[in-house]
Amino acid sequence: MGRFFAAVAATGGTPTAEAPWPAWHDWSVREREAFWSALWRWVGVIAEPLPGGGEWDAVLIGRDRMAPPDPLLGPRWFEGAELNFAENLLRRRDDGVAIIARDERPGFSRRLTHRELADQVAAVAAAMRRSGLQPGDCVAGYLPNVAEAVIAMLAAASVGALWTSCSPDFGVKGVLDRFGQVAPRLLFCADGYRYAGNEIDCLARVREIAEALPTVEQVVVVPLLRDAPDMGSIAVATSWAEYAASGRGAPLAFQRLPFDHPLYVMYSSGTTGLPKCMVHGAGGTLLQHLKEHQLHLDLRPDERLFYFTTCGWMMWNWLVSALASGATIVLYDGAPMPPAREGLLWEMAAEEEITVFGTSARYLAMSEKAGLAPQRTLNLAPLRAILSTGSPLAAHSYDYVARAVKPGVMLSSISGGTDLISCFALGNPILPVHRGELQSAGLGMAVEIWNADGVRVIGEPGELVCTVPFPSMPVAFWGDHDGARYREAYFAHFPGVWRHGDWAEETVRGGLVIHGRSDATLNPGGVRIGTAEIYRQVEQVPEVLESVVIGQEIPDGAGGRDVRIVLFVRLRPGAVFDAGLADRIRRRIRANTSPHHVPKVIAPVADIPRTLSGKISELAVRDVVHGRPVTNTEALANPEALELFVGLAVS
């Protein structure tokens, strides 16, 4: 980041190379055309030269318009530029390691060099072209986090097709709710996957999915559980080997297309209805990820980046983009803490000499609860950064990492979302880390916290907003021809300003604290409280593995309605829930927050429902407690857990 600032300053940019971080961030937002064009050149985006010379006709059209893309008003980025996403990720063709793939099996490790990756992408892309795949067609992946998922995605991108994916723990209806909206022509799948010591066969579900998707012309099956899976019941199935062989020997070819040409279809969680289908453009995704990797993460060629993710979460897309920086990506498929091997991911970090370890706040909390202390037994010398996302990272997890994982490691809590396929706030290698805070907003991201009146506030919670355009805004919602759903999703609350749906706080030093989702905030007695404020305290109670907190509507005694806080806790094996434990939880919350935060009801549960991306579903629990139907249980990884909440906390 320092070198980038120096390069900008040397070419007459402003401020100077010695200027502090706030001055540079303000410049990146205010002079957004200058910032994003300087970034383009700094990271070396590969693109088609214009016939008359130059790289683009205009950096930004509609610079102050935040509403959905409009042919006349914008915002439109890098007008006239043409590029190919896969070409930028496959710029290396040498024998350095591009992909390391691991799973739960002891000793299993698969490697692909940059040269081997390029050759396999070329073969699969040639097979796609032979089947008639065209730019703008859709290719779907129902795959575990394996190398073939990366290869198929890059092959589709090289042709100019869209890639969309779900992990194989999605049920048939969950897949059809997503793929059924986008009409894929090709479906890549696996015969099964491994999780928590079990082998789960997928082919019966694949057959149902293929039969329900009339646009699918071919199903390509990756053999993961057996060498020759029985594909006879799937009418249009072929094996990965046969499919790739039909294009073997073909040279790499890249279809260069406009900057905002669709690349990915991503999905909202879908817990309140059919998932929204967000279409992300190739150029915006590439440029945003390169910024986050090379500047905010300081990622270098041959460094090894790992993120625990599935193909159904945007962090998979974020991880794969690290190939554009010449890094090695580490894939893992399986449970984060398989039976009797709770420290597996930390062991993998040592064995594979991982440089950047990406995980979730929940995983760090569970590692602490399990008493894992990697620094005592493992050599983590190459590890220089740990990233956490998915939910707010509590201050005590910063202490745990410094104490038990690696003292001095850069711990970056990052926050963004599928909606922007990137981050609003993240790490910053030129700033200190303060426990409990995200270090800074991203360069070029005009992030502010607004109160209900639309006024920026510092030091108090409010809505996280972004006030100027950025390149990785969705180019559209699939099927949203007039942009109405797009506008409703982001711009209805504060007209013309992106409201993200996070309840957050800007600190006086420019950091951010995420308090939870806006739609899940609690409002007892008219005091608005973020759920993360309670979770941070409950996580530190030794008997509690995890918890979910909701606001329950009750009569206020004066003919109106109020809200009381209800906390459900899942305990460690052997722990007993009694009045003493409930009292200790209440006292801890009261001592470290306020009396308003203290739950009126605390109840034990055996399980807590989560979305397919692993996030606690507070809204689903709230609906069940209030006797309302949960409209789309297919969006949950463990919908059966909802039954545990029926009849609880009703009086």
Side-chain angles (χ1 to χ4, degrees):
M1 188 174 280
R3 293 195 309 276
F4 171 70
F5 290 160
V8 171
T11 60
T14 181
T16 66
E18 294 78 23
W21 162 259
W24 279 108
H25 184 266
D26 290 347
W27 168 80
S28 73
V29 170
R30 185 180 64 255
E31 305 295 337
R32 37 199 172 277
E33 294 91 341
F35 165 68
W36 289 105
S37 59
L39 177 69
W40 173 296
R41 294 174 179 127
W42 174 258
V43 298
V45 172
I46 301 170
E48 184 75 16
L50 296 185
E55 300 155 292
W56 50 74
D57 295 323
V59 175
L60 175 58
I61 296 174
R63 74 184 314 271
D64 297 315
R65 180 176 169 81
M66 282 288 281
D70 182 283
L72 297 177
L73 301 176
R76 297 202 313 277
W77 292 90
F78 294 97
E79 187 76 2
E82 293 192 345
L83 55 82
N84 184 275
F85 184 80
E87 183 178 14
N88 278 273
L89 269 63
L90 295 172
R91 58 183 77 196
R92 286 184 66 172
R93 312 286 170 79
D94 55 43
D95 293 325
V97 179
I99 296 176
I100 299 172
R102 297 277 300 248
D103 63 23
E104 293 179 3
R105 290 172 291 176
F108 175 80
S109 180
R110 177 187 175 195
R111 281 163 161 71
L112 282 178
T113 67
H114 291 280
R115 190 187 316 277
E116 291 168 336
L117 175 61
D119 288 345
Q120 293 198 35
V121 170
V124 174
M128 289 178 175
R129 290 186 175 95
R130 286 194 175 96
S131 68
L133 198 72
Q134 298 290 322
D137 287 342
C138 190
V139 177
Y142 184 51
L143 287 163
N145 188 16
V146 293
E148 285 79 7
V150 179
I151 294 164
M153 181 278 287
L154 290 170
S158 73
V159 176
L162 290 84
W163 173 262
T164 190
S165 57
C166 294
S167 61
D169 54 355
F170 281 55
V172 172
K173 186 177 184 302
V175 175
L176 295 177
D177 283 350
R178 290 159 175 79
F179 294 171
Q181 297 186 66
V182 299
R185 291 186 60 187
L186 279 174
L187 174 64
F188 287 84
C189 67
D191 62 336
Y193 64 100
R194 298 174 177 87
Y195 192 88
N198 300 308
E199 293 188 347
I200 298 97
D201 190 282
C202 287
L203 288 181
R205 276 181 282 159
V206 170
R207 177 180 56 77
E208 285 188 66
I209 291 165
E211 289 176 351
L213 293 174
T215 58
V216 170
E217 300 164 7
Q218 195 159 36
V219 177
V220 182
V221 181
V222 178
L224 294 181
L225 299 186
R226 53 193 67 84
D227 293 335
D230 181 9
M231 302 179 294
S233 63
I234 305 171
V236 290
T238 186
S239 71
W240 173 270
E242 291 171 338
Y243 190 77
S246 69
R248 188 162 294 126
L252 265 176
F254 302 106
Q255 180 73 48
R256 291 177 176 171
L257 294 157
F259 181 86
D260 61 356
H261 180 79
L263 168 70
Y264 290 133
V265 181
M266 308 294 293
Y267 304 100
S268 64
S269 62
T271 52
T272 57
L274 275 180
K276 297 190 295 286
C277 302
M278 294 163 270
V279 181
H280 284 287
T285 301
L286 175 69
L287 200 57
Q288 187 79 289
H289 288 181
L290 282 166
K291 177 200 75 178
E292 295 182 352
H293 290 154
Q294 293 192 21
L295 300 187
H296 285 273
L297 186 55
D298 201 24
L299 190 66
R300 314 291 179 89
D302 294 314
E303 287 196 319
R304 295 183 172 184
L305 172 61
F306 162 74
Y307 222 105
F308 180 77
T309 182
T310 71
C311 296
W313 189 25
M314 58 136 302
M315 293 311 300
W316 181 86
N317 309 76
W318 190 90
L319 168 66
V320 173
S321 289
L323 291 168
S325 297
T328 301
I329 60 172
V330 181
L331 313 178
Y332 171 78
D333 191 63
M337 291 183 168
R341 299 186 70 198
E342 290 180 316
L344 174 60
L345 294 186
W346 296 119
E347 294 166 12
M348 183 184 75
E351 293 164 4
E352 300 296 357
E353 300 182 321
I354 286 171
T355 316
V356 180
F357 183 96
T359 185
S360 65
R362 179 174 181 247
Y363 178 77
L364 293 176
M366 296 296 282
S367 289
E368 183 177 9
K369 292 280 186 184
L372 301 181
Q375 69 142 348
R376 295 180 190 166
T377 57
L378 301 173
N379 178 10
L380 296 176
L383 182 66
R384 63 171 182 80
I386 295 175
L387 310 181
S388 171
T389 193
S391 60
L393 184 63
H396 69 84
S397 290
Y398 287 76
D399 300 335
Y400 164 70
V401 168
R403 179 182 70 249
V405 180
K406 187 175 182 181
V409 73
M410 178 177 169
L411 176 57
S412 297
S413 179
I414 64 178
S415 181
T418 303
D419 309 78
L420 59 154
I421 202 168
S422 57
C423 300
F424 277 130
L426 63 170
N428 191 323
I430 65 172
L431 293 178
V433 174
H434 296 278
R435 65 195 295 273
E437 291 184 24
L438 289 74
Q439 285 177 276
S440 70
L443 285 165
M445 310 299 278
V447 176
E448 297 180 359
I449 308 302
W450 284 14
N451 64 18
D453 297 322
V455 176
R456 184 178 186 178
V457 292
I458 296 174
E460 63 181 79
E463 295 282 356
L464 188 151
V465 302
C466 188
T467 61
V468 304
F470 52 92
S472 65
M473 293 167 60
V475 297
F477 282 5
W478 191 280
D480 183 26
H481 303 296
D482 61 0
R485 282 190 292 153
Y486 192 131
R487 289 189 294 275
E488 176 64 26
Y490 308 117
F491 305 107
H493 195 82
F494 297 118
V497 172
W498 178 296
R499 171 188 177 255
H500 192 54
D502 279 345
W503 189 246
E505 180 178 341
E506 182 180 357
T507 69
V508 293
R509 51 180 163 243
L512 288 168
V513 178
I514 308 296
H515 293 299
R517 293 293 297 168
S518 298
D519 55 8
T521 56
L522 312 170
N523 197 22
V527 179
R528 197 166 181 187
I529 294 171
T531 55
E533 299 175 64
I534 295 174
Y535 293 139
R536 289 185 184 110
Q537 304 309 317
V538 180
E539 282 176 0
Q540 297 180 76
V541 177
E543 293 89 342
V544 179
L545 274 179
E546 59 181 352
S547 60
V548 59
V549 64
I550 65 162
Q552 182 191 12
E553 296 177 9
I554 57 172
D556 65 1
R561 307 290 289 175
D562 196 1
V563 170
R564 69 175 180 180
I565 297 176
V566 180
L567 174 69
F568 300 100
V569 294
R570 184 167 79 91
L571 303 183
R572 299 180 64 149
V576 176
F577 183 83
D578 56 20
L581 176 57
D583 184 58
R584 279 195 290 119
I585 293 171
R586 286 191 174 96
R587 282 190 281 112
R588 178 172 189 91
I589 294 171
R590 180 185 295 269
N592 293 283
T593 54
S594 81
H596 296 289
H597 291 70
V598 178
K600 296 296 184 185
V601 177
I602 303 178
V605 287
D607 198 9
I608 291 175
R610 293 184 173 275
T611 66
L612 290 163
S613 61
K615 298 178 182 179
I616 290 174
S617 185
E618 295 160 327
L619 299 185
V621 172
R622 190 171 70 188
D623 283 342
V624 170
V625 167
H626 286 93
R628 298 190 292 261
V630 178
T631 56
N632 192 0
T633 57
E634 287 293 325
L636 298 176
N638 55 339
E640 67 282 355
L642 290 175
E643 296 298 321
L644 302 172
F645 296 85
V646 174
L648 291 180
V650 294
S651 61

